[in-house]
Amino acid sequence: GFIGLNTKAEVFISTSHQPLSLEEDSIYEAEVSLFEDGVLVKNLSRNNESIYVSEGFIPKLGKAYEISTMIDGFHNAISELETIPFPVKLDSVKYLLNIEQEVLIRLYFKDPPVKNFYAVKFIRSYNDTLVAKADVVYKIFNPSVVFNDKLFNSQNHTYERKLSLAAGRVNNKPLYYNRVDVILFSITESGYNFFKDLDESDYTNGDMFTTSTQIRSNIINGYGIFVGYSTDTVKLNLDL
């Protein structure tokens, strides 16, 4: 699950089964509660996608949050405390187009003088219409894009990524993205550890010559992650 600054909490709950099991993974009947500084503030409701959400509640900076789940036949599962990190602002975002219809995007920001953990997401669209569904496959961001500030603590940092602008064809003519939303996530250390482990596990999956990756969890009586985050976003309109 996730809880972002000024956004509702979202929690997905499922059960584990043996690989060949045909049993349903999702859990549709659960009591899911959100606590702020140890005080119950919201019981989450389930939407049509089996995701429990905290409608009508706005999380805040400096507050510690945890999720508790009660399900018949299971132990009560509860997350460790997560404090939403302060957002790190993007100083500027620049881009450079090339003849292959690609764009090189550079993010510039100043890293605060504490341990910080980040992720970056790019959402491409055409005239404000989402075309690249792959850009939003993950509920929050791809596990491969997390990083820490170990090599640039308290310094100015530049992050860059090259993206294809080819969006397909319309009336037999090529269509190119003309907008990119650039999102810099500030995440908690437990979230960074989980997604880093998850990415490494996916990379080595099926390789008999590597040691299995242990994916760290912050869920008591369960497995997974409940992570706090904040964001800063810049919307780029590309001059094609």
Side-chain angles (χ1 to χ4, degrees):
F2 310 96
I3 185 165
L5 180 62
N6 297 326
T7 63
K8 60 181 177 289
E10 296 187 17
V11 176
F12 175 77
I13 304 171
S14 64
T15 58
S16 299
H17 301 293
Q18 59 181 339
L20 299 180
S21 172
L22 298 178
E23 294 184 62
E24 175 69 42
D25 290 339
S26 299
I27 293 178
Y28 299 100
E29 296 297 332
E31 182 179 326
V32 185
S33 304
L34 175 67
F35 294 82
E36 181 184 81
D37 289 343
V39 178
L40 175 65
V41 292
K42 194 71 178 179
N43 288 318
L44 278 62
S45 55
R46 181 174 60 84
N47 65 14
N48 293 330
E49 298 179 349
S50 303
I51 296 173
Y52 295 80
V53 296
S54 60
E55 298 288 359
F57 174 76
I58 303 299
K60 311 176 193 65
L61 282 173
K63 298 292 186 179
Y65 295 95
E66 58 188 333
I67 284 287
S68 171
T69 63
M70 297 183 64
I71 306 164
D72 288 342
F74 293 88
H75 292 293
N76 182 25
I78 189 168
S79 71
E80 296 177 0
L81 292 174
E82 283 285 278
T83 301
I84 297 177
F86 280 83
V88 174
K89 296 295 183 180
L90 289 162
D91 293 329
S92 63
V93 177
K94 300 179 181 180
Y95 71 90
L96 178 66
L97 298 169
N98 65 24
I99 58 174
E100 278 113 26
Q101 296 303 326
E102 293 178 327
V103 60
L104 177 66
I105 300 178
R106 289 194 177 101
L107 287 63
Y108 301 87
F109 62 92
K110 175 64 181 296
D111 180 68
V114 293
K115 286 201 302 184
N116 291 282
F117 305 90
Y118 300 101
V120 176
K121 185 172 187 175
F122 301 95
I123 301 178
R124 296 166 294 174
S125 59
Y126 173 75
N127 291 349
D128 293 332
T129 300
L130 182 65
V131 180
K133 293 183 179 180
D135 289 345
V136 292
V137 166
Y138 292 93
K139 275 292 180 183
I140 184 167
F141 48 73
N142 190 313
S144 66
V145 299
V146 298
F147 59 101
N148 60 31
D149 64 353
K150 186 175 181 179
L151 299 179
F152 56 89
N153 186 266
S154 304
Q155 301 176 20
N156 292 314
H157 184 63
T158 303
Y159 178 98
E160 66 179 37
R161 173 73 67 86
K162 185 180 290 185
L163 300 172
S164 171
L165 295 179
R169 302 183 72 84
V170 175
N171 298 326
N172 207 30
K173 294 182 179 180
L175 178 69
Y176 299 104
Y177 302 112
N178 57 13
R179 174 168 166 170
V180 180
D181 292 358
V182 181
I183 308 172
L184 177 64
F185 286 82
S186 298
I187 63 177
T188 57
E189 184 171 6
S190 59
Y192 167 83
N193 291 335
F194 175 84
F195 288 110
K196 200 70 176 174
D197 292 344
L198 187 61
D199 182 54
E200 182 178 337
S201 176
D202 288 343
Y203 182 77
T204 59
N205 184 33
D207 188 344
M208 68 179 67
F209 300 105
T210 59
T211 304
S212 298
T213 301
Q214 181 177 354
I215 300 176
R216 284 166 283 187
S217 166
N218 70 351
I219 306 298
I220 302 168
N221 289 332
Y223 301 99
I225 188 68
F226 180 64
V227 58
Y229 71 92
S230 60
T231 61
D232 190 38
T233 302
V234 170
K235 301 179 184 297
L236 291 179
N237 293 309
L238 306 180
D239 186 13
L240 302 177

